[in-house]
Amino acid sequence: MAVFYFLAVALPYISAFLLTLAVAGVLGLLIWLLNGRHWWGWLAGLALALAASCVSPVLQRIEDARITARLTAAEPQPAQLALEPGALIHLHDGNHYGITCRPCDFTALPFVTEAETVSLYPMLIDNRGELVERVNLNAPTPDRATRGRFRYAFISVPQIWYEGAPFDPPTWYPAPVPAGLKGVHMLVELPPTGIIRPAELQPLYLRVNRQYESEALFSWGFVTETVARPEPEDIFTDLAARVTAR
C-alpha cells in the first residue's frame, strides 16, 4: 500500500519532469539543427520548455486575481470602521479548512471587550443540516445557564449552508457565484434582542474566500496544492487593520 501511495503522490511530479525533458529535447534539437548546430541550442530548448511549463499556472493566477478583485469590489469593506465597545461571539466550523481561524484572537480587536468562540452547530445549523431562519445568539446554552449580552458576532459559514438554505440568500451574496466559493466571513452588529435572521443580515464587514487546486509553477498544471484565498487568518488581519474603538 505504501508503494502505491508513493506512486500516486509522485506521479504528477514525474509526469511534469518527463514532459519538460521531452519538450526540451524536441525544441533543443530543432534549434540545434536550424542554427548551425551550436551547443546553446539545447539550453534554449530547455529554457523554452520551462517557460511553457508555467503557462497554465500563470494563466490560473491571472484568472484568480481577476475573480478576487471582482469579489473584493463587491464586498462592504470600509477603510475605517469605528465601533462602540462590546462583547463578541465568534461562530465557525471547528475544523474546516478555509473556514476555521484557530489563531484568531478576537479579544485583540480594539472594540471587543470580551469574546467567545462557539460552533455553528447547533447554533446556526439545525439537526436537519440546514441554516436556520432565525436564532437568538444571546439565549442561554446547555453549557452556560446565563450568557452575557453580545453586541457583535463574527460568523464564518461554509457556502454550502447558504446555498442549501430553505430561503433565498441575502442580496449581498455573490452573484454569479464564483467557482470554488468556500466561505462567507462577516462581522455583524446584533440587535438588542440578540435575534438574527441569516437571510437578512447586513454585515459591517464582509469577505468571501475561495478554495481551489492551485497549479505549481514549472509543472504544466500536473502538480497542484489545495489553497484557500484569502485564508481566514488573512481576513482577520485585514479586519483588525480597519476597526477602531469609538
Side-chain angles (χ1 to χ4, degrees), residues 13-123:
Y13 295 90
I14 296 172
S15 300
F17 177 72
L18 293 179
L19 182 57
T20 299
L21 285 183
V23 173
V26 171
L27 293 177
L29 179 60
L30 288 175
I31 296 173
W32 183 73
L33 291 174
L34 295 175
N35 287 274
R37 301 189 179 186
H38 296 295
W39 63 269
W40 51 261
W42 299 102
L43 291 180
L46 178 60
L48 290 173
L50 290 174
S53 70
C54 293
V55 170
S56 179
V58 168
L59 291 177
Q60 185 195 48
R61 283 162 170 75
I62 294 173
E63 177 65 9
D64 174 57
R66 186 188 66 80
I67 294 174
T68 299
R70 178 175 65 82
L71 292 174
T72 300
E75 296 166 350
Q77 297 176 40
Q80 290 294 323
L81 188 60
L83 300 174
E84 296 285 349
L88 178 144
I89 182 170
H90 172 215
L91 297 102
H92 71 162
D93 199 337
N95 186 23
H96 195 148
Y97 179 61
I99 302 296
T100 306
C101 188
R102 283 191 171 79
C104 296
D105 180 11
F106 283 86
T107 59
L109 297 178
F111 69 95
V112 176
T113 55
E114 62 177 304
E116 179 180 345
T117 295
V118 301
S119 173
L120 293 172
Y121 317 92
M123 190 75 74

Side-chain angles (χ1 to χ4, degrees), residues 129-141:
E130 293 181 349
L131 189 64
V132 299
E133 294 189 43
R134 175 180 182 276
V135 63
N136 184 356
L137 295 182
N138 280 325
T141 60

